[in-house]
């Protein structure tokens, strides 16, 4: 006899929770049916506390540079530790271009007790305009040497690739 469930319904009964709600933690959209999921930590706890909570591998977001709504780096690290302590299995980071800053952040979160795998968020530069738009939106710092390398070729999309 198999110990694993045989149908999707057997694998993960989550009641009326829409799986699409599980991948977005922005409570400011006002489009939430589950008020108890104000933060990602709340959703992680909910899933882990359910009868099949151990059936899921849960990933959460990490921010090597503070989240745009975060008051500080320290609070971001604390929020990440709370998500991991709630039962997250791994972290996928927001995009970054400052590798040294990322490595310092990893040291900081490890010091805070985050001991799960951390997967760096990678965003290839497709073209200069979309790159600038994205880093401005995310408030992602870009090292001067990357800007200097892109500046002379920013008008030539093939050269940016």
């Amino acid at each position: 006899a198999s110990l694993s469930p045989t149908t999707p319904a057997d694998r993960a009964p989550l009641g009326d929770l829409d799986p699409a709600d599980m991948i977005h933690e922005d409570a400011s959209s006002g489009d939430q049916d589950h008020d108890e999921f104000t933060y990602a930590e709340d959703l992680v706890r909910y899933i882990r506390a359910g009868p099949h909570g151990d059936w899921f591998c849960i990933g959460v977001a990490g921010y090597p540079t503070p989240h745009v709504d975060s008051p500080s780096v320290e609070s971001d690290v604390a929020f990440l530790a709370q998500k991991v302590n709630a039962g997250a299995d791994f972290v996928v980071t927001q995009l970054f271009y400052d590798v040294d800053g990322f490595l310092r952040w990893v040291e900081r979160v490890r010091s805070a007790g985050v001991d799960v795998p951390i997967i760096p968020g990678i965003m290839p530069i497709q073209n200069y305009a979309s790159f600038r738009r994205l880093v401005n939106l995310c408030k992602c710092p870009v090292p001067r040497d990357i800007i200097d390398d892109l500046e002379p070729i920013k008008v030539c999309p093939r050269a940016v690739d």
Side-chain angles (χ1 to χ4, degrees):
S2 172
L3 297 177
S4 62
T6 57
T7 68
D10 292 335
R11 279 188 211 114
L14 293 174
D16 63 347
L17 181 64
D18 182 345
D21 291 337
M22 300 171 80
I23 60 171
H24 194 268
E25 65 179 283
D26 182 3
S28 65
S29 70
D31 186 24
Q32 275 187 294
D33 294 330
H34 298 278
D35 292 335
E36 66 268 28
F37 303 143
T38 303
Y39 302 105
E41 172 192 358
D42 302 326
L43 181 57
V44 173
R45 282 190 198 291
Y46 176 83
I47 294 169
R48 284 289 179 240
H52 305 289
D54 60 338
W55 291 13
F56 291 92
C57 182
I58 301 173
V60 295
Y63 299 91
T65 55
H67 185 278
V68 294
D69 296 329
S70 178
S72 68
V73 173
E74 293 77 17
S75 64
D76 264 1
V77 170
F79 293 144
L80 180 59
Q82 290 170 355
K83 292 186 280 189
V84 171
N85 290 337
D89 296 299
F90 66 95
V91 175
V92 178
T93 73
Q94 173 70 284
L95 72 112
F96 63 89
Y97 294 100
D98 178 3
V99 175
D100 293 332
F102 169 74
L103 295 173
R104 286 189 300 275
W105 176 81
V106 169
E107 288 178 20
R108 184 177 286 133
V109 299
R110 294 291 188 223
S111 295
V114 173
D115 60 355
V116 298
I118 297 173
I119 302 166
I122 304 299
M123 178 62 78
I125 300 171
Q126 299 291 322
N127 68 62
Y128 188 80
S130 65
F131 161 74
R132 291 306 303 176
R133 232 182 349 266
L134 185 60
V135 296
N136 288 335
L137 176 69
C138 298
K139 309 286 190 251
C140 175
V142 180
R144 184 82 239 158
D145 61 323
I146 293 176
I147 297 293
D148 291 346
D149 287 346
L150 288 173
E151 197 62 34
I153 59 173
K154 71 182 181 182
V155 295
C156 183
R158 287 183 170 247
V160 174
D161 287 345

